């Protein structure tokens, strides 16, 4: 396994974990946004730009959700 593949595995694993924990705290929403951003970077690094683009959009959606949840708390 090369470094990019390990990076991608870590990014998508973090995405899954933080998505599962997201209802527990607004901070998990922010962590989910960061993990999506890492997944986006991975997608672009491996040349799968559609994946990278969609993950970047998910990162923005999750960051917005964090802002809304943080404001309501």
């Amino acid at each position: 396994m090369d470094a990019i593949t390990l990076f991608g595995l870590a990014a998508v694993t973090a995405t899954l974990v933080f998505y599962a924990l997201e209802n527990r705290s607004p901070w998990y929403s922010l962590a989910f946004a960061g993990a999506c951003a890492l997944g986006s970077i991975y997608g672009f690094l491996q040349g799968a730009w559609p994946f990278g683009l969609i993950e970047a959009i998910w990162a923005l959606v999750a960051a917005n959700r964090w802002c809304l949840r943080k404001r309501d708390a």
Side-chain angles (χ1 to χ4, degrees):
M1 229 189 259
D2 62 355
I4 291 176
T5 303
L6 286 173
F7 174 72
L9 178 62
V12 297
T13 300
T15 300
L16 176 65
V17 169
F18 292 131
Y19 179 75
L21 297 173
E22 199 173 22
N23 289 330
R24 295 182 181 201
S25 168
W27 294 105
Y28 286 119
S29 294
L30 184 60
F32 176 67
C36 287
L38 292 175
S40 176
I41 292 167
Y42 167 68
F44 287 118
L45 285 174
Q46 75 166 8
W49 65 267
F51 179 80
L53 182 62
I54 295 301
E55 282 293 308
I57 292 168
W58 268 116
L60 293 173
V61 169
N64 183 55
R65 190 169 37 219
W66 173 73
C67 286
L68 293 174
R69 288 187 70 198
K70 188 77 170 127
R71 184 184 60 189
D72 292 341

